[in-house]
Amino acid sequence: ADVASNAVFLDSIVDRTRYPTSKIKFQYTLVTEESVVAGNQVMARWAMETLNAKKCGGRTELHQKGMLFCKFNSAHKIVSLEIMFDVMAFMLQVKMAMGFDNFNDVVIPNTVQTCQKQFDFPMVMTLADRPFTIVQVNERWEKLTGYLGAEVVGKKSCSILQGADTAEKDLNQLMGPVMFKRPACAMLTNYTKTGRRFRNYVTIYPLSTDSNISHYFGLTTFVQWIDADDSVRLKKRSKIDDGGSGDSKPSSNPLKQSPQCAAGSDDNKK
């Protein structure tokens, strides 16, 4: 799960205003020359490096080193794998690559307890099981979606943000890993309470309680409005009802200028 979270987290480095669909490429290298083998166990050093972070808008490439401990069964298949590395040193690299001012912008919580802090980006927390009921949102999430916490907490799932333009393939990309309690990310088309459409890049991370996955934490680092504002949306709807056309030009609204985001989905609209 930590390795999977690392992969999803690295994609947060991408400048979505310039490269909305890009993904960070990276590679792991195992230093076999210095590995230690004892029976069905292996301990070795490893290294990771990004290959295209700068091409995707990051200020620097990232490098990570650590140790791993792996166990195999009699069929030579991995049964457990633990990785160890200097978390704070890596977070410093991420902070520099993303151009953030403090660690609070880049540290992702992994327990419900550590999730109880102020986030500079809109966030939503849901239960880890269907129908993924919302249990917490922050003010930025409310401002983006138009839903108050009192309207959704304990009552709704993030499926309330879905609509006709929410693509099934995007939901599958997001919810596929979630079904296995793993982190995920995707670019979704969502809707505000008034029906205004927006594209947002969603990252979802599992949270644990007493070592069990109990919740999901959703964060978005990019928003692009499709409908300029509610008046344009209503005007467009009026033209459609009258048999006319009313296309609106998408407008970019980078998160760094106006931090807004929403996250999540339930079981693929079911």
Side-chain angles (χ1 to χ4, degrees), residues 3 70 90 124 142 152 174 188 191 196 216 233 261 263:
V3 175
C70 188
F90 185 61
V124 57
E142 292 178 322
V152 297
L174 187 71
L188 299 177
Y191 291 74
R196 185 182 178 192
Y216 270 98
R233 180 190 63 79
C261 81

Side-chain angles (χ1 to χ4, degrees), residues 98-158:
M98 300 178 76
F100 286 152
D101 296 327
N102 57 69
F103 280 106
N104 189 58
D105 293 323
V106 298
V107 175
I108 300 298
N110 58 4
T111 66
V112 174
Q113 289 76 17
T114 56
C115 197
Q116 306 305 313
K117 66 174 185 176
Q118 293 294 323
F119 291 95
D120 294 331
F121 303 134
M123 60 79 66
V124 57
M125 187 194 302
T126 73
L127 295 177
D129 298 313
R130 298 181 182 182
F132 308 107
T133 304
I134 296 172
V135 297
Q136 182 180 332
V137 299
N138 68 356
E139 185 178 353
R140 293 187 183 277
W141 189 92
E142 292 178 322
K143 288 181 178 180
L144 173 67
T145 65
Y147 291 98
L148 297 176
E151 297 179 88
V152 297
V153 171
K155 305 172 185 177
K156 304 288 185 180
S157 72
C158 288

Side-chain angles (χ1 to χ4, degrees), residues 249-270:
K249 183 179 180 180
S251 59
S252 179
N253 184 12
L255 199 60
K256 290 185 180 179
Q257 297 177 6
S258 178
Q260 308 281 348
C261 81
S265 157
D266 63 1
D267 47 340
N268 296 355
K269 294 184 180 180
K270 293 181 181 179

Side-chain angles (χ1 to χ4, degrees), residues 50-104:
T50 58
L51 306 177
N52 66 337
K54 294 180 70 175
K55 291 182 179 179
C56 292
R59 296 187 178 184
T60 62
E61 297 294 340
L62 278 73
H63 303 271
Q64 190 179 31
K65 294 181 179 180
M67 296 290 296
L68 68 79
F69 180 70
C70 188
K71 289 185 178 181
F72 297 83
N73 61 18
S74 58
H76 307 294
K77 294 186 179 296
I78 296 176
V79 293
S80 66
L81 175 65
E82 297 180 31
I83 62 172
M84 295 153 278
F85 61 94
D86 189 334
V87 175
M88 294 306 295
F90 185 61
M91 289 297 100
L92 179 59
Q93 288 191 60
V94 174
K95 171 179 170 289
M96 295 174 61
M98 300 178 76
F100 286 152
D101 296 327
N102 57 69
F103 280 106
N104 189 58

